């Protein structure tokens, strides 16, 4: 008998295949007091665990695939170096002798001590190194306790995940990035919201994903084969023949539909009544340009550069930034790219093992431009690289999570200083490179006019705008039911932004996920939006909808949506907008 489990479908499509469960298991460590006679044996046990840990890491290092966006061998080398460091090899032995305690506990005490030192460091990269310590210590403790090897991040990399469905409690954006382009069929997680970055990555990879499927690991651990229906958020265990036939048929239909979209790849993006619409693409890595080319994308409306910082030991330097931007520009062959400055913080941490933040409300905390303005060392190399890239092609610089004009003024001051430095050194850049702001914080949406002196263009980031306007954490599936792009407050904020930008003659686009959702395209056109930036997988579908839309009557219907009070009013209105 087949059983179905329901979660939140966040990336469309059907996957059928075997399960690979990833556990972020906590190791429970207790103190045990030992007699003096046992201490030599305990030290020997600890030293043997160190040898096993080294062997495990050497084995992983030889298996790491080269086809990843991150330098994984550097990661593993750091851990190997730590396993040779007195702080982890000798200090725990001293603790065993002094406290007459077990090796696991001695390691815990030493780990706590080292983490405290790292946490006291101002530099976010050095501070993030505490996770390396925790990771190495956990590896040794697991060996001491006789556990199996840990799943993420390193050992998941030595497993061949091709054609597997990944089931996990949660995957950070950094975890998901580690698993990109490894032939994974689908993701199912126990936690996470519809616009979490993990969901966004799954959509841009074009693989089905379900989040918020509580206890998924418990249900799916022993299962050989499951079906994941990402459109409906359904996972089916042990499907019978009829169910399998049905889903295989749907898979074939979806493939046929995708193939049929190829015929509009070269056509312009223009409504039936002749309005030209700008359709751009969102990317996370220069490697994504292959997918962009496949669908005929010619410009990038959002390049999320923070992925350049994840899963690595040191922040990228100026040359590395420049290299990434140059690769994107080269692939675009003259087309424009909007490079968004670093948006780290909240759920996007520099390290795959940072699953929590000490801040109580990280989404409201030190993230994005706030972090960059606080830490010039982090920000300046990127600004220099973006300016230098502007000499090589059409580049726009976009600032995330702006909440006040003063932030744009500070950014502009920094850019001016960097311009002066570059001019003094005869390094070329485009002095007219546009500098824009993302509309993600409602404070900006309601007073766009105050920002127009400092922003050459705007882009609406609905993922954050909805999160902040409706006060729902985008990564928390328990409040996902409140996530509603049709909420009149959201629609009014979008409309106000578009109208104000148009009035001030500033280009405005939308790069949040709402623009990639086929259900909202006509509604957004009706609200006056004329520029969309969407994930590569959605690109052709969105183009097809735009090309089949007649703008007549749209603004009247969308005007009614702006006043609709509840779903019983919004849903039929949206259906009417979307009916041909
Ligand atoms: C957004 O908030 O809509 C956006 C595009 O930025 P991100 O999803 O990277 O936060
Ligand atoms: Mg955002």
């Amino acid at each position: 008998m087949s059983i179905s489990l329901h979660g939140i479908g966040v990336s469309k499509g059907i996957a059928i295949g075997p399960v690979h469960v990833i556990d972020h298991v906590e190791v429970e460590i207790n103190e045990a007091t030992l007699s003096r006679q046992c201490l030599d044996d305990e030290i020997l046990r600890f030293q043997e665990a160190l040898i096993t840990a080294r062997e495990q890491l050497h084995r992983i290092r030889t298996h790491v695939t080269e086809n990843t966006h991150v330098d994984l061998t550097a990661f593993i080398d750091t851990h190997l170096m730590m396993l040779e460091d007195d702080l982890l090899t000798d200090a725990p032995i001293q603790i065993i002798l002094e406290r007459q305690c077990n090796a696991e506990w001695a390691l815990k005490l030493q780990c706590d001590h080292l983490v405290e030192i790292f946490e006291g460091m101002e530099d976010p990269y050095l501070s993030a190194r505490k996770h390396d310590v925790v990771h190495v210590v956990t590896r040794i403790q697991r060996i001491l306790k006789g556990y199996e090897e840990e799943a993420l991040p390193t050992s998941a990399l030595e497993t061949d995940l091709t054609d597997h469905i990944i089931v996990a409690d949660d995957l950070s954006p950094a975890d998901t990035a580690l698993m990109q382009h490894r032939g994974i069929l689908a993701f199912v997680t126990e936690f996470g919201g519809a616009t979490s970055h993990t969901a966004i990555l799954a959509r841009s990879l074009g693989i089905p994903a379900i989040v918020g499927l509580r206890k998924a690991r418990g249900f799916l651990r022993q299962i050989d084969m499951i079906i994941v229906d990402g459109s409906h958020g359904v996972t089916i265990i042990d499907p019978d023949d009829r169910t399998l036939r049905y889903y295989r048929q749907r898979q074939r239909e979806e493939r046929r539909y995708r193939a049929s979209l190829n015929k509009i790849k070269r056509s312009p993006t223009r409504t039936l009544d002749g309005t030209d619409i700008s359709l751009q693409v969102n990317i996370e890595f220069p490697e994504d340009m292959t997918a962009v080319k496949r669908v005929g994308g010619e410009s990038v409306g959002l390049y999320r550069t923070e992925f350049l910082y994840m899963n690595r030991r040191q922040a990228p330097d100026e040359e590395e930034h420049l290299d990434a931007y140059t690769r994107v520009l080269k692939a675009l062959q003259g087309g424009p790219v909007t490079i968004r400055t670093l948006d780290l913080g909240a759920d996007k941490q520099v390290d795959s093992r940072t699953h929590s933040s000490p801040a109580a409300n990280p989404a409201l905390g030190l993230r994005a431009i706030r972090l960059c303005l606080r830490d010039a060392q982090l920000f300046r190399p990127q600004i220099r690289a973006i300016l230098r890239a502007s000499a090589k092609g059409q580049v726009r610089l976009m600032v995330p999570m702006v909440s006040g004009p003063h932030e744009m003024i500070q950014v502009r001051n920094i850019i001016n200083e960097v311009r002066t430095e570059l001019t003094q050194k005869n390094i070329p850049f485009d002095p007219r490179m546009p500098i824009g702001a993302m509309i993600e914080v409602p404070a900006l949406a309601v007073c766009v006019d105050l920002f127009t002196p400092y922003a050459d263009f705007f882009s609406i980031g609905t993922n954050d705008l909805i999160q902040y306007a409706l006060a729902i954490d985008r990564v928390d599936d328990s409040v996902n039911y409140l996530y509603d792009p049709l909420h009149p407050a959201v629609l009014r904020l979008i409309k106000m932004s578009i109208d104000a930008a148009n009035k001030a003659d500033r280009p405005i686009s939308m790069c949040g996920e709402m623009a990639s959702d086929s259900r909202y395209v006509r509604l957004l056109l009706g609200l006056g939006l004329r520029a969309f930036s969407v994930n590569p997988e959605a690109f052709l579908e969105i183009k097809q909808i735009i090309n089949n839309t007649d703008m007549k009557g749209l603004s009247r219907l969308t005007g009614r949506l702006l006043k609709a009070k509840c779903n019983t009013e919004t849903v039929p209105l949206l259906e009417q907008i979307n009916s041909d």
Side-chain angles (χ1 to χ4, degrees):
M1 190 186 66
S2 16
I3 302 172
S4 54
L5 307 172
H6 295 253
I8 306 164
V10 292
S11 182
K12 290 194 275 199
I14 312 272
I16 303 172
V19 171
H20 179 90
V21 175
I22 286 174
D23 290 304
H24 295 97
V25 182
E26 292 274 317
V27 188
E28 200 188 314
I29 303 295
N30 295 311
E31 179 171 15
T33 307
L34 307 177
S35 64
R36 287 233 160 260
Q37 302 89 288
C38 296
L39 294 184
D40 282 348
D41 283 349
E42 190 61 9
I43 291 169
L44 201 63
R45 195 169 76 87
F46 170 64
Q47 287 170 330
E48 278 168 4
L50 287 179
I51 293 170
T52 310
R54 284 182 201 121
E55 283 168 1
Q56 285 182 354
L57 285 173
H58 278 297
R59 203 173 52 247
I60 292 168
R61 199 181 187 288
T62 48
H63 283 91
V64 162
T65 56
E66 280 167 14
N67 187 24
T68 57
H69 299 304
V70 285
D71 188 1
L72 298 170
T73 46
F75 247 137
I76 297 166
D77 287 344
T78 311
H79 292 188
L80 278 165
M81 264 158 57
M82 284 182 173
L83 281 171
E84 302 298 339
D85 195 310
D86 290 354
L87 288 169
L88 281 185
T89 56
D90 289 354
I93 294 178
Q94 291 313 315
I95 299 173
I96 293 173
L97 291 170
E98 276 161 27
R99 290 183 67 108
Q100 289 189 228
C101 67
N102 50 332
E104 292 91 328
W105 189 253
L107 269 167
K108 182 195 174 313
L109 295 181
Q110 178 63 0
C111 182
D112 291 349
H113 170 64
L114 294 173
V115 164
E116 209 179 296
I117 295 174
F118 278 110
E119 272 175 351
M121 295 179 178
E122 279 265 312
D123 183 302
Y125 272 86
L126 287 179
S127 170
R129 298 286 60 83
K130 70 181 178 213
H131 303 291
D132 286 311
V133 177
V134 174
H135 194 78
V136 172
V137 165
T138 308
R139 179 175 291 280
I140 309 167
Q141 286 172 327
R142 291 177 70 94
I143 294 166
L144 286 165
K145 297 202 76 146
Y147 287 6
E148 279 178 27
E149 266 191 78
E150 199 192 9
L152 255 187
T154 39
S155 69
L157 302 166
E158 67 173 336
T159 316
D160 184 6
L161 300 177
T162 315
D163 292 336
H164 276 74
I165 293 168
I166 301 298
V167 177
D169 51 347
D170 198 5
L171 294 170
S172 70
D175 286 340
T176 318
L178 283 177
M179 289 191 273
Q180 272 199 315
H181 305 300
R182 299 188 63 207
I184 287 163
L185 290 180
F187 292 117
V188 177
T189 64
E190 296 182 0
F191 304 98
T195 54
S196 62
H197 288 91
T198 304
I200 292 172
L201 278 178
R203 281 195 286 274
S204 73
L205 284 175
I207 60 174
I210 296 176
V211 299
L213 206 158
R214 292 293 160 96
K215 302 209 167 41
R217 285 170 304 157
F219 286 118
L220 303 174
R221 191 175 295 277
Q222 306 296 339
I223 306 296
D224 291 334
M225 214 239 310
I226 61 169
I227 297 174
V228 173
D229 177 352
S231 313
H232 298 98
V234 178
T235 301
I236 300 170
I237 302 173
D238 282 339
D240 54 32
D241 285 349
R242 242 183 74 200
T243 314
L244 259 179
R245 270 200 306 280
Y246 168 74
Y247 278 99
R248 291 219 159 101
Q249 175 62 21
R250 273 190 52 197
Q251 259 185 332
R252 280 193 290 275
E253 281 164 13
E254 271 180 21
R255 275 190 210 123
R256 268 201 294 275
Y257 170 66
R258 299 235 140 244
S260 76
L261 289 175
N262 274 329
K263 65 177 184 297
I264 57 166
K265 199 168 136 178
R266 300 272 161 242
S267 18
T269 310
R270 186 174 295 147
T271 61
L272 289 173
D273 48 300
T275 310
D276 282 317
I277 303 295
S278 156
L279 187 57
Q280 303 189 300
V281 188
N282 296 346
I283 61 164
E284 279 84 37
F285 300 98
E287 288 82 352
D288 295 341
M289 290 308 296
T290 314
V292 174
K293 294 267 124 187
R294 201 167 45 236
V295 296
E298 289 170 351
S299 53
V300 171
L302 168 65
Y303 176 7
R304 289 185 166 96
T305 57
E306 52 277 7
F307 285 89
L308 204 59
Y309 294 73
M310 289 183 195
N311 295 312
R312 48 183 299 149
R313 296 203 53 242
Q314 270 159 353
D317 63 14
E318 185 181 324
E319 297 308 320
E320 210 175 322
H321 276 286
L322 184 61
D323 176 60
Y325 307 154
T326 309
R327 282 163 64 200
V328 173
L329 283 167
K330 218 168 170 179
L332 282 169
Q333 295 172 325
V337 55
T338 302
I339 303 176
R340 178 174 74 181
T341 56
L342 174 63
D343 182 12
L344 280 180
D347 68 322
K348 285 183 286 191
Q349 299 291 335
V350 291
D351 194 290
S352 69
R353 286 142 287 161
T354 318
H355 286 282
S356 61
S357 162
N361 292 304
L364 303 179
L366 197 61
R367 61 170 283 210
I369 192 56
R370 300 170 181 186
L371 186 67
C372 290
L373 290 176
R374 166 79 84 88
D375 187 348
Q377 272 182 341
L378 200 61
F379 200 33
R380 280 192 176 246
Q382 177 167 43
I383 297 293
R384 279 176 65 94
I386 296 176
L387 275 166
R388 284 172 65 191
S390 73
K392 296 169 183 261
Q394 284 191 65
V395 173
R396 304 198 305 173
L397 180 150
M398 181 159 77
V399 187
M401 215 200 162
V402 178
S403 60
H406 59 94
E407 287 164 330
M408 288 306 288
I409 295 171
Q410 283 184 68
V411 170
R412 283 186 172 267
N413 287 343
I414 294 171
I415 292 174
N416 282 337
E417 285 166 22
V418 174
R419 280 176 177 148
T420 310
E421 283 165 26
L422 294 177
T423 309
Q424 279 163 356
K425 292 192 174 146
N426 276 333
I427 300 175
F429 63 90
D430 173 8
R432 286 189 303 277
M433 177 187 75
I435 299 162
M438 284 191 78
I439 303 180
E440 302 186 283
V441 179
L444 202 172
V446 297
C447 45
V448 168
D449 57 313
L450 301 182
F451 288 77
T452 50
Y454 316 107
D456 302 320
F457 67 93
F458 294 97
S459 185
I460 309 173
T462 48
N463 309 335
D464 278 315
L465 187 62
I466 295 173
Q467 150 165 275
Y468 296 128
L470 303 183
I472 44 164
D473 188 338
R474 61 194 272 193
V475 297
D476 185 348
D477 56 292
S478 63
V479 287
N480 189 69
Y481 71 101
L482 290 170
Y483 175 81
D484 183 12
L486 294 182
H487 192 296
V490 173
L491 298 183
R492 287 182 194 194
L493 287 171
I494 293 172
K495 176 97 179 99
M496 283 166 78
S497 305
I498 296 171
D499 290 348
N502 286 343
K503 195 166 163 210
D505 211 14
R506 295 281 184 277
I508 182 161
S509 63
M510 179 181 286
C511 60
E513 288 295 294
M514 191 174 173
S516 294
D517 192 323
S518 54
R519 289 169 298 178
Y520 306 127
V521 176
R522 287 189 174 173
L523 161 64
L524 293 170
L525 288 169
L527 290 175
L529 191 73
R530 297 291 177 267
F532 295 64
S533 189
V534 306
N535 67 59
E537 282 298 311
F539 187 85
L540 288 174
E541 190 180 16
I542 301 298
K543 189 190 236 189
Q544 162 127 311
I545 296 170
I546 293 172
N547 289 2
N548 287 332
T549 295
D550 189 335
M551 305 279 264
K552 259 198 317 294
L554 272 188
S555 60
R556 185 180 46 82
L557 283 172
T558 49
R560 283 170 61 194
L561 256 174
L562 290 172
K563 295 194 192 118
K565 286 187 238 21
C566 54
N567 283 355
T568 48
E569 289 178 36
T570 55
V571 173
L573 272 170
L574 190 69
E575 274 172 15
Q576 213 178 329
I577 289 172
N578 287 334
S579 64
D580 279 317

